[in-house]
Amino acid sequence: MTTDSQPTRAASARPGPRFLVIGAGMSGILSAIKLKEAGFDDFAIYEKADRLGGTWRENTYPGISCDVPSHFYSYSFAPNPEWSHRFSPGAEIQAYFEDVARRYGVSSRIQFGKEVTRCAFEDGRWQIETDDGATDAGDFVIAATGVLHHPAYPDIQGLDSFEGSVFHSARWNRALPLAGKRVGVIGTGSSAIQIVSALVDEVAELSLFQRTAQWVLPVENPAYSEEEKAEFRRRPEAMAEIREEASRAFTEGFANVLVDAESPLLQAIQDLCAANLENNVTDPELREKLRPDYRATCKRLIMSEDFYQAIQRPNARLVTEGIERVEKSGVRTRDGRLHELDVLVLATGFGVERFVRPMQVTGRGGMALDEVWKDGPFAYMAISVPDFPNFFMLNGPNGPVGNFSLIDVAELQFAYILQLVDQVRSGACREVCASWEAMRRFDAERREAAKSTIWASGCKSWYLDDSGLPTAWPWTFDRFREEMSQPRLGDFDTR
Ligand SMILES: Cc1cc2nc3c(=O)[nH]c(=O)nc-3n(C[C@H](O)[C@H](O)[C@H](O)COP(=O)(O)OP(=O)(O)OC[C@H]3O[C@@H](n4cnc5c(N)ncnc54)[C@H](O)[C@@H]3O)c2cc1C
């Protein structure tokens, strides 16, 4: 291993590094804007879909909105005075990313309809291939391929036999009219809860198939008035103040405390959720069915202003019996009952362990990322994998996930990556990635810290790996911010 506290070899006089950005969601757009800003204009952005936006392009289900305040879920450099609500709907978020990408001259640089299928480090450079057989080469890869990207389908017997319409929440069939239909929703994550609230008054019957009850934090979602928007346009500092306040609230009241299961602030969140359940669900039997048997925030916390009202509508049913199988006319539960349906929505989440894949990525000496990650994905500081030089991930494995702005996370990560790129730009080295030694140390510390987080307090969630250990950043968000402010260069293998 070499360290780059001192230059090891001067870079050759190449005209300037070329960057390959994979993915044009929030992170890919950010990368392109920041590369331009840093004076790197030689880059390509590959996007497999025919539109940018990632998550917000793909999730168009009724009721979709962000669950962190919109002025916080915005790029820090591109505040948006037009947000309609405190938590604005998904279509607005999609429009925001499209607008920012256009204004910053990024849209025209995206190569749409090109999925990167192969990405190999050969002779000191990254060679990529797209699904149409085209190739490209570059010095750096920015993998902005998303976390909640590949829909996870439940393994339920007979799903194929259903004669109504069935689709995943991230593949919503918008052409299908739902008025007067009997709709079933499987799952109780954030998407399911948003769908139930939005649909219940439109459909004839709504059945929510619940395996695990969820704690629900009550939030209000007021619309911004035209006067407020005018004020935001006139005085951008007003938006900055809201952003700052939301950032502080989410960091101090939330992200920082999740990592300490004993924190009194977690108890305060628990109390708020419990009071929401007690005060807003009148039928004691329904209330008990909706009461989780684990601690609030062990799973990603649901924020909703109206879910409990929705599930108590006369046409709504909470089904907790457990699904036996799907039949041609509906869902058969373990108590033998058939729930007849016209539409079945699978709000069953995402394959979060897939990160970057199915792209075939090979690092030094043809080492396959699939092989390196055979026991589960990992990355030093969520960004770099040893022996995959000049390959950086945004929102990669072991990064902060939870109820806060992943835009904030990606911005911090990109600033860190640029400092690593600077090692190459300055001629200190030509290749930079985490050393194995640093990776092992980071992973051991991460595993140890993960045990005392709330996510390890006894529930099943997508935060856990196969062994039941939380995979997310297990320290405070303040620590993440601090780590991201400056790479510990001694932890990097530079050549
Ligand atoms: C329903 C839902 C609600 C959410 N709400 C919030 C929220 O309130 N707050 C929050 O912070 N986060 C939220 N998230 C998380 C959200 O995913 C992130 O905030 C953010 O949008 C991620 O952006 P990204 O660019 O990293 O990934 P994505 O948005 O997933 O974009 C990745 C892009 O890469 C492309 N791509 C992938 N592989 C390839 C390849 N091999 N070749 C070419 N292109 C490829 C994809 O097509 C996609 O466009 C939510 C996620 C979901 C699913």
Side-chain angles (χ1 to χ4, degrees):
M1 190 188 93
T2 55
T3 69
D4 56 1
S5 39
Q6 358 165 276
T8 49
R9 196 204 307 172
S12 68
R14 268 203 208 127
R18 176 167 172 75
F19 294 79
L20 306 171
V21 179
I22 308 177
M26 173 277 288
S27 305
I29 297 163
L30 170 77
S31 305
I33 293 171
K34 290 290 168 184
L35 284 171
K36 284 175 77 162
E37 192 182 283
F40 296 114
D41 204 47
D42 188 4
F43 62 85
I45 315 167
Y46 290 94
E47 169 53 59
K48 66 182 177 178
D50 57 5
R51 260 176 99 192
L52 56 77
T55 290
W56 306 101
R57 173 194 71 231
E58 296 192 341
N59 290 268
T60 59
Y61 58 77
I64 182 170
S65 70
C66 57
D67 56 16
V68 295
S70 292
H71 284 290
F72 187 29
Y73 193 74
S74 311
Y75 294 122
S76 59
F77 52 86
N80 176 23
E82 312 306 329
W83 289 125
S84 66
H85 287 77
R86 182 179 292 160
F87 304 97
S88 299
E92 261 182 59
I93 302 172
Q94 172 68 15
Y96 168 78
F97 286 124
E98 286 181 352
D99 178 56
V100 172
R102 189 185 42 74
R103 281 195 285 125
Y104 284 79
V106 167
S107 317
S108 55
R109 305 281 300 264
I110 303 171
Q111 302 191 39
F112 289 107
K114 281 178 176 277
E115 175 169 2
V116 179
T117 51
R118 185 176 167 270
C119 185
F121 190 68
E122 290 164 1
D123 302 324
R125 293 195 96 200
W126 285 97
Q127 311 290 333
I128 64 165
E129 199 175 313
T130 49
D131 55 351
D132 55 359
T135 58
D136 195 352
D139 304 281
F140 291 93
V141 169
I142 308 293
T145 49
V147 196
L148 304 175
H149 177 57
H150 297 285
Y153 289 88
D155 184 14
I156 301 176
Q157 192 197 333
L159 201 51
D160 290 346
S161 66
F162 183 57
E163 288 184 345
S165 301
V166 55
F167 44 84
H168 191 278
S169 55
R171 299 286 180 272
W172 197 267
N173 181 354
R174 295 197 69 82
L176 186 72
L178 293 174
K181 297 263 169 66
R182 296 163 302 174
V183 177
V185 177
I186 298 182
T188 49
S190 300
S191 296
I193 300 307
Q194 291 179 339
I195 291 167
V196 168
S197 298
L199 272 191
V200 72
D201 289 334
E202 182 186 343
V203 301
E205 282 173 27
L206 196 143
S207 304
L208 176 63
F209 294 90
Q210 169 184 290
R211 185 172 60 183
T212 316
Q214 291 273 11
W215 289 112
V216 180
L217 188 72
V219 290
E220 286 178 356
N221 189 17
Y224 286 112
S225 65
E226 286 312 314
E227 291 72 38
E228 282 172 306
K229 290 188 209 169
E231 168 76 358
F232 294 149
R233 274 177 230 124
R234 208 172 33 245
R235 221 174 55 83
E237 313 85 82
M239 287 183 282
E241 283 157 20
I242 295 179
R243 183 185 174 88
E244 187 50 39
E245 198 184 308
S247 169
R248 204 173 329 109
F250 274 77
T251 305
E252 289 168 15
F254 211 82
N256 281 356
V257 299
L258 297 176
V259 298
D260 172 12
E262 302 313 318
S263 161
L265 275 169
L266 281 184
Q267 188 56 46
I269 294 173
Q270 173 91 42
D271 293 346
L272 279 174
C273 294
N276 189 27
L277 180 66
E278 298 307 331
N279 299 338
N280 292 305
V281 181
T282 45
D283 173 13
E285 200 180 317
L286 179 65
R287 197 188 307 137
E288 289 322 301
K289 285 184 175 175
L290 287 167
R291 190 189 302 281
D293 59 1
Y294 56 86
R295 294 178 55 192
T297 69
C298 184
K299 292 161 84 74
R300 190 176 194 273
L301 191 60
I302 307 291
M303 319 246 178
S304 175
E305 63 176 348
D306 52 9
F307 169 66
Y308 286 148
Q309 285 75 6
I311 200 68
Q312 291 176 93
R313 292 276 204 280
N315 63 332
R317 308 194 199 326
L318 181 73
V319 183
T320 55
E321 276 76 20
I323 297 174
E324 176 75 35
R325 61 180 178 273
V326 174
E327 299 180 2
K328 61 181 185 179
S329 55
V331 169
R332 175 90 57 189
T333 43
R334 291 203 190 109
D335 55 358
R337 190 168 158 209
L338 178 67
H339 303 261
E340 289 189 288
L341 300 169
D342 303 306
V343 179
L344 184 55
V345 177
L346 310 174
T348 42
F350 299 87
V352 288
E353 73 300 335
R354 295 190 66 185
F355 282 109
V356 174
R357 279 80 57 85
M359 182 165 67
Q360 294 295 307
V361 186
T362 51
R364 283 187 183 130
M367 185 183 290
L369 190 62
D370 275 338
E371 183 54 26
V372 176
W373 281 357
K374 64 179 187 307
D375 296 326
F378 58 81
Y380 172 81
M381 297 290 167
I383 282 176
S384 173
V385 180
D387 280 330
F388 289 75
N390 303 356
F391 179 96
F392 304 120
M393 288 173 285
L394 289 170
N395 284 313
N398 309 139
V401 287
N403 299 82
F404 44 86
S405 171
L406 287 193
I407 299 186
D408 205 20
V409 171
E411 286 194 21
L412 291 164
Q413 290 178 324
F414 204 81
Y416 180 96
I417 291 169
L418 276 181
Q419 294 182 64
L420 296 174
V421 168
D422 261 341
Q423 291 298 304
V424 175
R425 172 153 69 174
S426 70
C429 61
R430 292 177 65 162
E431 298 176 11
V432 55
C433 57
S435 70
W436 277 108
E437 187 193 332
M439 182 71 245
R440 288 191 190 103
R441 192 186 63 240
F442 174 83
D443 212 45
E445 289 172 5
R446 178 187 72 75
R447 285 170 176 278
E448 192 49 39
K451 292 179 196 161
S452 49
T453 62
I454 188 71
W455 309 307
S457 67
C459 66
K460 278 197 186 143
S461 79
W462 58 266
Y463 293 152
L464 307 180
D465 66 15
D466 290 344
S467 73
L469 197 74
T471 55
W473 181 262
W475 300 289
T476 63
F477 200 75
D478 287 337
R479 172 156 168 187
F480 180 71
R481 221 181 270 285
E482 198 183 306
E483 291 285 4
M484 290 298 104
S485 66
Q486 197 176 21
R488 303 178 196 204
L489 293 178
D491 281 356
F492 285 86
D493 170 2
T494 56
R495 302 180 186 179

